[in-house]
């Protein structure tokens, strides 16, 4: 029996799962279900990556031990997957004893073969990436991922002789065009291999610097580099070296995003080669989910919670959207408007409407009993052919991880079926008493709908199960696929249970009120703009304060003497009619007439408390109009941050006294 083994990256436990993690795992789930429908012996693995500096730091921040911390977050990942309709067969943790033993076996094997050596090494270490960079890899001296300056660290370490295998890897990738797919990532890896920037891989960390890792079997003063440890999960979870599942399922398929292309496309195959193990079959690489074209990040507050989306819009609709919207390999932009747009157009209008129309007609004209029929007319034959070709395309594209195109191919059939309903007009056939023709039309429609439901089960297991149930089939709800031979289903329209009871009505995907959503989104946007404004204002104030406290360039005595600084007595004060932060002060400087000065002290002084008070001011500042009123000079204040105090002589002096 053909086997299919699919893996996701094992996720870091330094953050909770978000849309990106959910996407990869949902795609892996859909692939596993798809291959089950093809009758393949399938195994689906996901898990968590739990060693390394980052984990220790994240645990410290929470006041937990690394062990307590990884148990907690790994638990969140494990609990999330079933809630997203994901049915993984295994869950691997790099802190599992079985994994640790496998990593040590692997290291020993490569060490014994002479491909691990001890050496002194100085390199640019990025703590964010937990890896060394070569001079060539840095961009303007900075880590290309984090744009921070790495620390130069020189220490003795163990190295994997990766460079020895790089020419072989290049040849292998050239000879196996779909080893890394889609093509753009294959090209990227070949360019990497041809750049000459890759060297041997440092695979150890001294325990003096890091203890949270797997000890090297040949030197107890060192732990294993987290990537070398993590990649081995793909076989440790199968019980390598001796496990029966390893023998049964390896080599498998990997699914990752572009961020971790290099470890999977370069480190891992060379590691496998050095250990004398077969390479994986395919590395499937997808792009990044952006949110309104910006990177998801905690600080921007735009992280999408997959559970929240599933709960709001229905899990199956959310899964469909993810697979349909992202062209595998390219980046895609997430927004609730786009999600609602797809739900309304593809699911409510096209697919939901087809089910609802056809089932209600079957109820009306056939008492919900699935009618028999045989293909007769050209229109019937065209639909029959389209059904076969759409399914074949779907299968072919899905196998090649082109999910968006696969679904589009299937929707050609969905839309054609809606048109077929219109052109065949079963209501007219009923009116004219053409019972046989009516039966045939409904039979063809129901048979095609069944095929669509079978194809969609990997993507929307619950909804597809409901569709099949509406067509009179019994579908277990335990993850058992509705067919083990989806490929054979393309051959003919057969398979429909003629005579069985169909559901009298169907409301699979209710339309979502997009106007209400738009309103909600606008409110959200306004709130987030408000937040951004506040953050910006705070930043500006910080900058202004920093500028106020930083030393200014030297000035000459003459320049200082050119300032007309004087003490005045406030005659009256009131709020500026058009500016909240300003007070309008009339101040006596002994000039005969009081002078009008506007001052930004409204937040700090009540106007009524100022009359009679003495203040210091610059008088020969060029007069300025501020919000409709003239200001002739500037009152002096002192303070940083939220502090602002008026300068006043410590005893009363005559109004207009110069300050020197
Ligand atoms: O890299 N869009 O773990 P990780 C799409 N532990 N996918 C995304 C995404 C986004 N915006 N953000 C994350 C690690 N992902 C290592 C892996 S494997 C031996 C070790 C998904 O928690 C995507 O699958 O940073 C990406 O490759 C993965 O999360 C990175 O997960």
């Amino acid at each position: 029996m053909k086997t299919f083994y699919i893996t996701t990256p094992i996720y870091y436990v330094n953050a909770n799962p978000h849309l990106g993690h959910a996407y990869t795992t949902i795609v892996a789930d859909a692939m596993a279900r798809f291959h089950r429908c093809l009758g393949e012996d399938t195994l689906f693995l996901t898990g968590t990556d739990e060693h390394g500096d980052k984990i220790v730091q994240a645990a410290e921040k929470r006041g937990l031990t690394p062990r307590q911390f990884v148990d907690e977050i790994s638990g969140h990942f494990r609990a999330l997957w079933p809630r997203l309709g994901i049915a993984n067969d295994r869950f691997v943790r790099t802190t599992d004893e079985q994994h640790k033993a496998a990593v040590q076996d692997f290291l020993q094997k490569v060490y014994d073969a002479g491909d691990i050596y001890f050496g002194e090494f100085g390199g640019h270490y990025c703590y964010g990436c937990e890896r060394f960079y070569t001079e060539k890899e840095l961009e303007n001296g900075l880590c290309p991922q984090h744009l921070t300056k790495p620390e130069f660290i020189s220490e003795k370490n163990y190295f994997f002789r990766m460079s020895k295998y790089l020419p072989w890897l290049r040849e292998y990738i050239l000879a196996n065009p779909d080893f890394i797919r889609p093509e753009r990532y294959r090209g990227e890896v070949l360019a990497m291999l041809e750049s000459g920037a890759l060297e041997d891989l440092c695979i150890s960390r001294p325990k003096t610097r890091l203890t949270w890792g797997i000890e090297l079997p040949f030197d107890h003063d060192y732990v294993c580099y987290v990537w070398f440890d993590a990649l081995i999960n793909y076989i440790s979870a199968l019980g390598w070296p001796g496990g029966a599942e390893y023998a049964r399922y390896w080599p498998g398929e990997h699914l990752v995003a572009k961020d971790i292309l290099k470890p999977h496309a370069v480190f891992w195959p060379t590691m496998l080669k050095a250990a004398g193990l077969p390479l994986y079959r395919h590395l499937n690489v997808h792009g990044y989910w952006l949110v309104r074209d910006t990177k998801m990040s905690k600080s921007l507050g735009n992280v999408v919670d997959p559970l929240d989306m599933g709960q709001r819009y229905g899990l199956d609709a959310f899964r469909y959207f993810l697979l349909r919207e992202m062209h595998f390999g390219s980046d895609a932009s997430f927004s609730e408007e786009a999600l609602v747009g797809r739900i309304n157009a593809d699911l409510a209008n096209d697919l939901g409407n087809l089910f609802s129309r056809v089932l209600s007609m079957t109820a009306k004209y056939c008492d919900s009993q699935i009618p028999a029929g045989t293909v007769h007319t050209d229109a019937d034959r065209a639909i029959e052919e389209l059904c076969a070709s759409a399914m074949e395309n779907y299968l072919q594209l899905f196998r090649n991880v082109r999910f968006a195109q696969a679904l589009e191919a299937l929707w050609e059939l969905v839309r054609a079926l809606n048109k077929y309903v219109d052109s065949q007009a079963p209501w007219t056939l009923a009116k004219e008493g053409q019972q046989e023709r009516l039966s045939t039309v409904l039979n063809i429609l129901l048979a095609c709908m069944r095929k669509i439901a079978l194809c969609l089960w990997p993507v929307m297991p619950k909804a597809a199960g409901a569709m099949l149930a509406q067509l009179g089939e019994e579908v277990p709800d335990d993850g058992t696929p509705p067919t083990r031979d989806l490929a054979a289903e393309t051959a003919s329209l057969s398979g429909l249970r003629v005579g069985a009871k169909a559901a009298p009505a169907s409301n699979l995907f209710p339309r979502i009120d997009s106007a209400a959503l738009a309103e909600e989104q606008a409110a959200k946007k306004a709130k987030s703009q408000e937040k951004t404004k506040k953050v910006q204002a705070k930043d500006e104030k910080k900058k202004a304060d920093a500028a106020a406290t930083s030393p200014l360039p030297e000035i000459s005595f003459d320049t200082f003497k050119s300032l007309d600084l004087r003490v005045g007595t406030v005659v009256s004060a009131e709020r500026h009619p058009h500016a909240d932060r300003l007070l309008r002060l009339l101040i006596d400087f002994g000039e005969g007439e009081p002078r009008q000065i506007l001052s930004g002290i409204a937040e700090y002084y009540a106007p009524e408390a100022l009359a009679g008070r003495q203040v210091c001011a610059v008088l020969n500042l060029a007069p300025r109009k501020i919000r409709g009123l003239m200001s002739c000079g500037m009152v002096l204040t002192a303070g940083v941050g939220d502090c602002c105090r008026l300068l006043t002589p410590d005893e009363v002096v005559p109004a207009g006294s110069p300050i020197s």
Side-chain angles (χ1 to χ4, degrees), residues 9-12 18 20-21 23-24 49 227 230-231 233-234 256-257 259-260 264 286-289 296:
I10 47 170
Y11 303 111
Y12 286 132
H18 61 56
H21 306 111
Y23 173 74
T24 315
D49 188 354
W227 267 107
L231 288 160
N233 91 83
Y234 299 131
V256 298
D259 56 333
I260 50 177
H264 284 84
H286 64 78
Y288 247 46
W289 276 102
M296 245 187 300

Side-chain angles (χ1 to χ4, degrees), residues 20-323:
H21 306 111
Y23 173 74
T24 315
T25 319
I26 286 171
V27 170
D29 182 71
M31 287 171 79
R33 288 175 189 270
F34 177 79
H35 285 269
R36 288 201 168 102
C37 286
L38 293 175
E40 294 171 21
D41 175 11
T42 299
L43 193 82
F44 167 20
L45 171 75
T46 186
T48 43
D49 188 354
E50 306 184 5
H51 289 127
D53 290 343
K54 279 192 212 166
I55 306 301
V56 178
Q57 285 157 10
E60 269 170 10
K61 250 194 203 164
R62 292 267 318 276
L64 298 174
T65 63
R67 181 83 239 173
Q68 288 169 323
F69 181 76
V70 295
D71 285 350
E72 182 187 313
I73 312 272
S74 176
H76 290 175
F77 275 92
R78 194 191 277 258
L80 172 70
W81 302 139
R83 298 179 66 192
L84 288 173
I86 287 161
N88 51 299
D89 301 293
R90 301 279 179 277
F91 190 94
V92 66
R93 299 182 58 183
T94 54
T95 50
D96 288 342
E97 289 309 317
Q98 175 174 315
H99 173 76
K100 289 193 211 168
V103 170
Q104 291 186 328
D105 279 354
F106 197 102
L107 282 162
Q108 192 66 53
K109 209 170 154 75
V110 181
Y111 185 72
D112 291 344
D115 279 338
I116 290 177
Y117 64 92
F118 194 52
E120 175 112 35
F121 173 75
H124 305 273
Y125 190 75
C126 170
Y127 284 94
C129 302
E130 301 196 346
R131 54 163 289 210
F132 285 101
Y133 279 95
T134 62
E135 204 76 53
K136 274 191 203 160
E137 287 173 312
L138 297 179
E139 283 173 13
N140 300 323
L142 303 179
C143 157
Q145 287 277 331
H146 293 88
L147 301 178
T148 50
K149 193 168 167 50
E151 189 181 331
F152 191 85
I153 295 181
S154 180
E155 62 191 14
K156 288 206 154 182
N157 262 313
Y158 287 88
F159 292 84
F160 166 47
R161 245 181 254 286
M162 191 167 80
S163 57
K164 173 175 158 190
Y165 296 102
L166 296 176
W168 157 83
L169 179 61
R170 182 174 167 271
E171 290 307 312
Y172 187 86
I173 294 172
L174 286 172
N176 295 275
D178 65 352
F179 179 58
I180 298 166
R181 61 188 183 187
E183 172 63 30
R184 60 196 288 183
Y185 296 110
R186 174 176 181 259
E188 242 177 66
V189 175
L190 285 171
M192 229 186 273
L193 290 170
E194 281 152 19
S195 73
L198 295 164
E199 296 169 358
D200 286 347
L201 187 66
C202 177
I203 57 151
S204 65
R205 299 287 179 263
K207 277 194 186 166
T208 47
R209 199 147 65 75
L210 175 75
T211 50
W212 186 243
I214 300 175
E215 196 175 275
L216 298 189
F218 40 81
D219 191 335
H220 302 315
D221 291 335
Y222 286 84
V223 293
C224 182
Y225 167 46
V226 60
W227 267 107
F228 201 90
D229 153 4
L231 288 160
I232 295 171
N233 91 83
Y234 299 131
I235 56 173
S236 75
L238 299 178
W240 179 86
E245 284 193 335
Y246 173 73
R248 180 161 150 196
Y249 291 109
W250 189 254
E253 298 250 337
H254 300 312
L255 182 64
V256 298
K258 62 184 186 180
D259 56 333
I260 50 177
L261 176 63
K262 186 164 153 187
H264 284 84
V266 182
F267 302 174
W268 183 222
T270 53
M271 284 165 66
L272 287 166
K273 176 77 177 162
L277 304 178
L279 302 194
Y280 53 78
R281 281 189 202 150
H282 296 117
L283 178 63
N284 304 294
V285 188
H286 64 78
Y288 247 46
W289 276 102
L290 306 172
V291 174
R292 296 181 191 284
D293 299 321
T294 338
K295 202 173 165 176
M296 245 187 300
S297 93
K298 250 195 203 163
S299 54
L300 288 177
N302 65 352
V303 176
V304 179
D305 177 358
L307 264 187
D308 186 33
M309 289 302 122
Q311 273 157 8
R312 288 186 74 153
Y313 300 106
L315 200 52
D316 278 331
F318 177 57
R319 287 172 59 114
Y320 169 80
F321 170 78
L322 293 182
L323 268 80

